Amino acid sequence: MENEILKIGITQGDTNGVGWEVILKTLADPRIVEFCTPVIYGSPKAAGYYRNTLREVDNVPLNTVSDAAHARTGKVNIIPIGEGEIKIEPGTATPISGKAAVDALRRAVADLKAGEIDALVTAPINKEAVQSEDFHFTGHTEFLAAELEGEPLMMMCSERLRVGLVTIHIPLSEISAAITREKIVERLKQLRALLKQDFGVVEPRIAVLSLNPHAGDGGLLGREEEEIIRPAIVEAFQEGVLAYGPFASDGLFGSGNYTRYDAVLAMYHDQGLAPFKMLAPDGVNFTACLSEVRTSPDHGVAYDIAGKDLADPQSMRSAIYMAIDIVRHRRAWEEWTENPLPHVERERKERGDSKERTERREEIKGAKEEE
C-alpha cells in the first residue's frame, strides 16, 4: 500500500485566477509523478495560455485523455473541459470563468464518487462567479457536502497547526445563534475521529476557542462561554474527547500555547483562518469527515496577481502531498480497524485445510508403505 501510485484529480478552478499558474508550477517538477498520477480537469487552452506566462518553468507536457481510467502513470494527464467556451481574462470574474470552474468540479467529483480517482485537489474558485441557476453553493465545502456522504468539517492544516471550524461560510451576525452545545460536541467528536483516522494521532488533544473577547470575562462580555461552549467541552470530555478551554483566540495563538495541542476548534471562519494563515502561510484546506478526500490550497483566486507569474505554488504542492498522505492513512486505518472476526474465521479455515492436507499425506504415505 505504501508504494501504490494514487490517481489525484486536480480541478482548474477559476480560469481567470491563479489556479493554472500554481498547478503548472507544481507539476513542472518531474518528481511529482513518482508520488502520484495527476489527472487535471480543465481547459488545455487555458493551460497553454498560462504556460506561456511562466518564465522559469519548463514546458509541462500534458497527456490528453478522455477519462481518468485511461490516465497514464508517470505522466501529467488532462481531461479537457469546456474547451469551446473558454475566454481567458486574467484578474476578472466572469460567468465564463465561473462556469469553467463548475464544469471541471462536477466532472471531477463524479469520477471521485465512481472511484476513478483516489482524491481531489481543487484550485480556487470565485464564489460570485460560480453562481448560476444550477449552482448556488457558497463554496467547495457546501457542494461536496451535497454530493458525498458524511458531515463535512472544514479544516486548515499544516505541519505545525490544524484548525477546525464550528461554523463555516455564514454572516458574522448569525454566528452566535448557530453555535450550540450539540454542534460543538459533534465537531469535537469529528475532530478526534479524523485526527486518528486521517493523521495517525493516537489520542488527540484539542483546544477550544471562546466566542467573545477574553473568553467572555465570566459573563461580562457575553454568556456563550458559560452557557454553551464550556458545558460542551465538559460533555465531550466525559465521552472520551481530550478537549480543553475555552481559550481566548489572541491569548492561545499569541502565547504559542497552540503548539501543546493536536488541533484547535474555532467558533467561526476568520477566528480560525486569520491566525492560521499568519502562522502557516503555505497550509492546506482539508474538507474532513466526508467519504472521499478533498484538499485545496489555502488561498483564493488572487485576481490581483493572476497572469503575472507571481503566484507561489507551495500551498498547491502541499495540498497534493497531503491528499496522498490522508488517503494512505485512511486506508491503513480501515485495515487496522477491520472486524477481526473474518480474520479469525479465515485463520481457522486455513488451519483446518492444513490439518486435512497433513492427514491426507499421511494416508498416502501409509498406503505406499503397505504396498
Side-chain angles (χ1 to χ4, degrees), residues 109-358:
V109 170
D111 283 354
L112 185 66
K113 292 165 66 175
E116 295 292 337
I117 54 178
D118 296 295
L120 177 63
V121 178
T122 59
I125 61 175
N126 178 285
K127 291 178 175 56
E128 293 182 21
V130 298
Q131 300 302 312
S132 66
E133 291 184 0
D134 61 347
F135 192 94
H136 48 80
F137 301 96
T138 54
H140 284 108
T141 303
E142 291 76 12
F143 175 71
L144 292 167
E147 291 288 322
L148 302 174
E149 296 177 5
E151 175 65 26
L153 188 154
M154 182 176 175
M155 281 197 73
M156 306 303 291
C157 306
S158 72
E159 293 183 358
R160 63 186 301 188
L161 176 62
R162 303 183 189 98
V163 176
L165 304 179
V166 175
T167 61
I168 307 176
H169 297 128
I170 64 173
L172 195 62
S173 60
E174 299 176 12
I175 290 171
S176 180
I179 293 173
T180 65
R181 176 173 173 171
E182 293 76 17
K183 190 68 173 177
I184 294 171
V185 172
E186 176 190 359
R187 291 302 197 203
L188 285 169
K189 289 180 177 179
Q190 284 182 296
L191 260 179
R192 178 177 184 255
L194 76 89
L195 288 167
K196 285 171 164 281
Q197 170 185 282
D198 296 340
F199 293 93
V201 180
V202 176
E203 191 53 71
R205 291 167 52 86
I206 303 168
V208 182
L209 297 184
S210 62
L211 175 64
N212 297 298
H214 303 190
D217 263 348
L220 293 175
L221 302 179
R223 300 293 305 168
E224 286 87 353
E225 284 73 22
E226 300 302 319
E227 297 176 359
I228 299 173
I229 302 175
R230 196 182 305 280
I233 293 171
V234 172
E235 180 180 337
F237 199 96
Q238 291 172 343
E239 296 188 30
V241 182
L242 300 183
Y244 304 88
F247 301 107
S249 179
D250 60 343
L252 184 72
F253 290 111
S255 66
N257 285 339
Y258 68 90
T259 59
R260 299 179 180 180
Y261 302 92
D262 298 294
V264 176
L265 182 65
M267 294 297 113
Y268 58 95
H269 186 278
D270 285 13
Q271 182 188 45
L273 268 63
F276 178 87
K277 291 186 177 184
M278 286 293 294
L279 295 165
D282 298 324
V284 175
N285 181 353
F286 170 38
T287 307
C289 301
L290 291 179
S291 54
E292 306 294 340
V293 174
R294 175 260 174 170
T295 64
S296 75
D298 71 348
H299 57 74
V301 293
Y303 283 146
D304 57 324
I305 61 171
K308 299 178 181 178
D309 194 16
L310 297 176
D312 186 343
Q314 183 55 52
S315 188
M316 171 59 78
R317 187 178 298 115
S318 298
I320 292 174
Y321 287 141
M322 186 170 290
I324 296 169
D325 288 342
I326 292 173
V327 170
R328 287 178 174 167
H329 273 298
R330 188 174 289 188
R331 291 179 180 178
W333 176 262
E334 290 173 356
E335 184 177 335
W336 296 334
T337 57
E338 184 181 3
N339 185 344
L341 290 178
H343 293 294
V344 173
E345 293 299 325
R346 184 164 58 248
E347 291 173 2
R348 185 176 297 162
K349 182 178 184 303
E350 290 172 353
R351 287 197 301 270
D353 291 344
S354 177
K355 182 179 179 182
E356 289 179 6
R357 287 194 296 270
T358 300

